[in-house]
Amino acid sequence: YTAIRNGASVYDLCPMVKYRITGRDAAAYLNRLTLRDAAKLAVGAVHYTGWTDDDGKLLDDGTLFRHGPEDYLICCQERHLPWFLASAEGFEVEVEEVTDQIAALSLQGPCSATVLQAAGFDVSALKPFRMARFPFGGAEVTVSRTGFTGDLGYELWMGPGQALPLWDHLMQAGAP
């Protein structure tokens, strides 16, 4: 608590469930599935949303990332693949769980931007609910200015093999 409110703290988000939504009808499908207009979400942007069953019961909430015109990523707490696939009927869209393919770390707290700067990630121009890509370890890390603390925070998205090296790199840059 002290670190996250007065400095910076790193959390492992790898267990969060991740779904890639792609295809010509990706935005239309997500507009049927979620509570916010996915078509209005700019490429490189993120928004918080929820989804319900056909009776309007809230099933879960999470973040929706738009990586390309027809390429989205949902990150949430619970597994929903059967519901997502059933909801895709009639849409030209692919829904794939990619939890094991994407690792994620959350760097939260008022000093999180300073830690990222010290680690070589220039996030000074990154606005809330936007993302940018940075080279790291021969690959890329996507940094989004998102988080769950209500304070300054970032989430770092990468391949599974990059997670521990990036964690160590952040520790050396000053994260507790």
Side-chain angles (χ1 to χ4, degrees), residues 103-123:
L105 299 173
S106 184
L107 179 63
Q108 303 289 306
C111 296
S112 56
T114 304
V115 171
L116 284 175
Q117 293 291 126
F121 300 99
D122 183 5
V123 294

Side-chain angles (χ1 to χ4, degrees), residues 43-137:
V43 171
V46 184
H47 71 212
Y48 175 74
T49 190
W51 47 94
T52 66
D53 65 14
D54 287 333
D55 294 324
K57 178 187 172 209
L58 184 66
L59 296 174
D60 204 354
D61 61 349
T63 45
L64 180 66
F65 299 77
R66 190 166 191 180
H67 289 283
E70 299 175 352
D71 184 3
Y72 293 83
L73 180 78
I74 291 178
C75 181
C76 58
Q77 182 64 37
E78 301 295 329
R79 287 191 152 60
H80 298 284
L81 189 58
W83 174 248
F84 285 3
L85 291 173
S87 298
E89 187 174 325
F91 292 97
E92 192 176 308
V93 66
E94 285 190 39
V95 179
E96 176 187 13
E97 183 177 338
V98 294
T99 302
D100 293 340
Q101 300 169 28
I102 301 172
L105 299 173
S106 184
L107 179 63
Q108 303 289 306
C111 296
S112 56
T114 304
V115 171
L116 284 175
Q117 293 291 126
F121 300 99
D122 183 5
V123 294
S124 60
L126 193 58
K127 295 183 185 319
F129 292 97
R130 296 292 186 261
M131 57 185 157
R133 290 183 172 88
F134 298 93
F136 178 77

Side-chain angles (χ1 to χ4, degrees), residues 8 17 29 32 40-41 49-50 54 66 71 73-74 86 93 104 107 118 120 134 145 147 150 158 160 166 170-171:
V17 184
Y29 162 75
R32 186 254 185 251
K40 290 184 179 179
L41 184 63
T49 190
D54 287 333
R66 190 166 191 180
D71 184 3
L73 180 78
I74 291 178
V93 66
L107 179 63
F134 298 93
R145 190 160 167 200
M158 72 228 67
L166 183 55
L170 293 172
M171 295 302 116

